[in-house]
């Protein structure tokens, strides 16, 4: 809240002076020292205090204020009328923000990544939600496309990021189509996708019984549609990657998988985790996607086992643990991420301990850490893991960072 609080105080003192000294301090002029003292006194938020922005980040309604700039924006897309089973993901963004409340800039150092994404080069803010209609999916899709395009086209704050990155909180998975449309518009090129999910989501809408006609905008068809629209890279037959799959397929054969392959996807199943381990999955993903090409990362929280994430629309037993997913996310931090989403959190089905939303908030934190860390490397700044820090200390060289 720091900078916005300061600005509003300054505005307020200016206004009250202009109104002939009204207000509770009789038109008093606030010095910078006094305002700093207020900040020191009241600027801190406990995990359980404050208005619920993601990780207590500064919040702006970015869509109504074109002057707001950022390097990374958290954006909520509370929408769930394109689902095939349990609805309720429209409450996902609020649940994820609530579950992120123990994330603070003050204690935000990611010991797995060796960076604090909230105290680094990137200006990260919470842009609030896109007000998406629940009554008409065509309008909803246009609203999401327009909003994500507008937010992604802003000028970034740091010279490091030519374009700001959006971290979208879903919402059902159909929102990835507007996100990919926006990226095509912003980057002027088709994008590669890394997709964590129990399901393929490359289904032709006509693969569902379609006597009555089929909408092309569902949470299981957005990647099929994205490919039809030329939003996904076809640069090789291994252009995009699924990980964590365990969905049932249609019919009696492998047609769904064959169709998926013909759309240039590589598949890692949930069971591959047992055979390959986290490192095998990491190596497989990095072999396909590399560190140069722009990649959009989409995390359907149903990639986790329902034991870890029951609060979702289409749960499938036999998935990964939260720790396995985090480990894989850390291992792929070298990807050139241009944006990401975390979708399908449907809090009405989660336990009272908020495990599903907590997992989603953690995924966001890990992805923010990766984006910030990549920027540091591009700046030539060293990221010092703890083992190396200890060696440096033993050699009498400290980089000045305290071990807390
Ligand atoms: C990729 O191939 C599909 C057909 O499978 C096509 O519709 C789409 O336009 C192609 N994408 C690009 C970026 O050329
Ligand atoms: Mn999905």
């Amino acid at each position: 809240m720091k900078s916005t609080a300061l600005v509003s105080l300054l505005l307020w003192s200016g206004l009250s002076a202009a109104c002939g000294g009204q207000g509770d301090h009789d038109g008093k002029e606030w010095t910078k020292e006094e305002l700093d003292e207020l900040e020191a006194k009241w600027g801190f938020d406990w995990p359980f205090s404050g208005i619920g922005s993601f990780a207590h980040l500064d919040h702006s309604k970015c869509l109504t204020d074109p002057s707001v700039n950022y390097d990374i924006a958290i954006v909520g897309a509370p929408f769930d009328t394109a689902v095939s089973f349990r609805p309720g993901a429209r409450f996902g963004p609020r649940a994820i923000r609530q579950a992120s409340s123990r994330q603070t800039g003050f204690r935000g150092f990611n010991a797995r990544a060796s960076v604090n994404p909230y105290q680094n080069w990137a200006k990260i803010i919470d842009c609030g939600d896109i007000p998406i209609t629940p009554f008409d999916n065509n309008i909803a899709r246009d609203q999401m496309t327009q909003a994500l395009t507008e937010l992604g086209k802003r000028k970034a704050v740091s010279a490091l990021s030519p374009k700001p990155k959006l971290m979208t909180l879903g919402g059902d998975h159909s929102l990835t189509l507007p996100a990919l449309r926006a990226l095509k518009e912003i980057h002027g090129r088709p994008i590669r996708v890394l997709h964590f999910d129990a399901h393929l989501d490359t289904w032709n809408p006509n693969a569902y019984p379609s006597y009555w006609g089929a909408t092309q905008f569902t949470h299981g068809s957005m990647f099929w549609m994205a490919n039809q629209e030329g939003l996904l890279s076809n640069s090789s037959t291994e252009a995009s990657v699924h990980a964590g799959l365990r969905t049932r397929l249609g019919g009696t054969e492998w047609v769904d998988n064959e169709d998926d392959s013909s759309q240039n996807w590589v598949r890692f199943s949930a069971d591959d985790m047992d055979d390959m381990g986290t490192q095998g999955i990491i190596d497989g993903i990095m072999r396909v996607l590399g560190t140069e090409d722009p990649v959009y990362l989409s995390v359907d929280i149903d990639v986790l086992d329902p034991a870890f994430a029951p609060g979702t629309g289409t749960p499938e037993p036999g998935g990964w643990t939260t720790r396995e997913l985090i480990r894989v996310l850390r291992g792929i931090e070298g990807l050139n991420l241009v944006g990401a989403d975390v979708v399908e959190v449907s809090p009405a089905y989660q336990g009272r301990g908020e495990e599903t939303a907590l997992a989603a908030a953690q995924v966001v934190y890990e992805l923010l850490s990766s984006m910030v860390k990549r920027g540091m490397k591009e700046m030539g700044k060293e990221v010092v893991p703890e083992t190396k820090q200890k060696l440096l200390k033993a050699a009498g060289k400290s980089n000045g960072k305290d071990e807390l």
Side-chain angles (χ1 to χ4, degrees):
M1 291 302 204
K2 264 156 254 116
S3 51
T4 37
L6 196 69
V7 168
S8 52
L9 261 174
L10 286 169
L11 270 175
W12 177 240
S13 54
L15 273 178
S16 41
C19 300
Q22 285 178 2
D24 46 359
H25 288 280
D26 291 330
K28 166 178 162 51
E29 302 275 324
W30 294 82
T31 66
K32 181 169 181 313
E33 286 69 32
E34 285 170 325
L35 292 173
D36 286 348
E37 195 194 338
L38 288 182
E39 178 61 36
K41 209 170 166 184
W42 306 115
F44 174 80
D45 255 328
W46 294 101
F48 46 82
S49 70
I51 302 296
S53 66
F54 189 88
H56 303 269
L57 292 164
D58 282 353
H59 164 234
S60 290
K61 214 168 173 199
C62 305
L63 284 165
T64 56
D65 186 352
S67 70
V68 177
N69 293 98
Y70 36 79
D71 295 302
I72 306 173
I74 313 287
V75 190
F79 169 74
D80 64 6
T81 49
V83 300
S84 54
F85 196 53
R86 298 168 172 174
R90 73 182 64 178
F91 299 104
R94 285 196 164 198
I96 299 170
R97 287 192 176 97
Q98 160 76 20
S100 76
S101 64
R102 285 187 65 251
Q103 295 184 33
T104 61
F106 164 71
R107 187 159 286 166
F109 186 73
N110 187 336
R112 292 179 169 107
S114 315
V115 295
N116 181 341
Y118 303 123
Q119 285 189 43
N120 214 299
W121 63 270
K123 183 179 175 193
I124 311 179
I125 66 169
D126 189 329
C127 278
D129 289 342
I130 308 166
I132 307 163
T133 180
F135 302 131
D136 184 316
N137 280 1
N138 287 329
I139 294 174
R141 188 180 52 211
D142 286 349
Q143 289 175 316
M144 287 189 267
T145 306
Q146 263 192 44
L148 295 173
T149 307
E150 155 60 24
L151 294 175
K153 275 190 163 173
R154 296 261 166 103
K155 197 175 174 316
V157 176
S158 165
L160 265 183
S161 42
K163 298 277 191 280
K165 297 181 205 297
L166 305 183
M167 168 71 64
T168 310
L169 312 178
D172 77 47
H173 212 155
S174 63
L175 70 84
T176 303
L177 178 68
L180 290 167
R181 283 181 175 177
L183 284 173
K184 176 82 182 294
E185 169 90 16
I186 293 160
H187 294 270
R189 58 181 285 186
I191 297 285
R192 307 177 72 166
V193 174
L194 173 55
H195 173 218
F196 290 96
D197 202 320
H199 311 95
L200 292 165
D201 294 357
T202 52
W203 282 290
N204 183 325
N206 291 306
Y208 297 98
S210 54
Y211 172 85
W212 302 97
T215 172
Q216 298 197 330
F217 191 54
T218 79
H219 77 155
S221 298
M222 68 284 166
F223 287 128
W224 179 87
M225 198 170 172
N227 185 45
Q228 294 288 307
E229 291 184 18
L231 309 178
L232 299 183
S233 169
N234 285 346
S235 61
S236 92
T237 53
E238 298 192 333
S240 291
V241 179
H242 302 287
L245 295 170
R246 58 194 185 281
T247 179
R248 285 170 299 280
L249 304 177
T252 55
E253 301 252 9
W254 298 100
V255 179
D256 286 352
N257 278 359
E258 286 158 12
D259 206 32
D260 186 71
S261 297
S262 75
Q263 296 170 55
N264 304 319
W265 288 84
V266 175
R267 293 178 297 280
F268 293 98
S269 71
D271 295 352
D272 282 339
M273 182 61 81
D274 298 324
D275 304 332
M276 308 164 81
T278 47
Q279 194 57 48
I281 304 277
I282 290 163
D283 292 344
I285 292 171
M286 294 309 291
R287 177 187 62 76
V288 176
L289 295 176
T291 56
E292 296 304 318
D293 282 359
V295 172
Y296 184 77
L297 202 161
S298 185
V299 180
D300 187 326
I301 207 66
D302 72 26
V303 70
L304 298 177
D305 191 85
F308 300 92
T312 193
T314 44
E316 305 285 358
W320 293 348
T321 67
T322 310
R323 195 184 67 243
E324 284 166 340
L325 177 62
I326 293 170
R327 195 77 190 269
V328 171
L329 292 176
R330 288 271 41 89
I332 57 169
E333 64 185 14
L335 291 173
N336 180 15
L337 295 184
V338 290
D341 61 43
V342 182
V343 299
E344 297 284 343
V345 172
S346 187
Y349 305 99
Q350 73 176 346
R352 303 191 73 164
E354 298 177 87
E355 69 299 301
T356 312
L358 277 170
Q362 181 73 28
V363 167
V364 172
Y365 171 65
E366 298 296 345
L367 298 181
L368 294 174
S369 299
S370 299
M371 290 172 178
V372 169
K373 197 167 171 181
R374 184 166 167 119
M376 285 178 75
K377 287 199 170 143
E378 278 166 20
M379 273 189 286
K381 278 200 188 170
E382 203 188 354
V383 178
V384 188
E386 193 181 23
T387 42
K388 186 153 175 214
Q389 174 91 5
K390 280 190 181 145
L391 288 175
L392 285 174
K393 275 227 169 116
K397 293 180 213 155
S398 167
N399 71 349
K401 194 178 284 169
D402 292 331
E403 274 185 68
L404 289 173

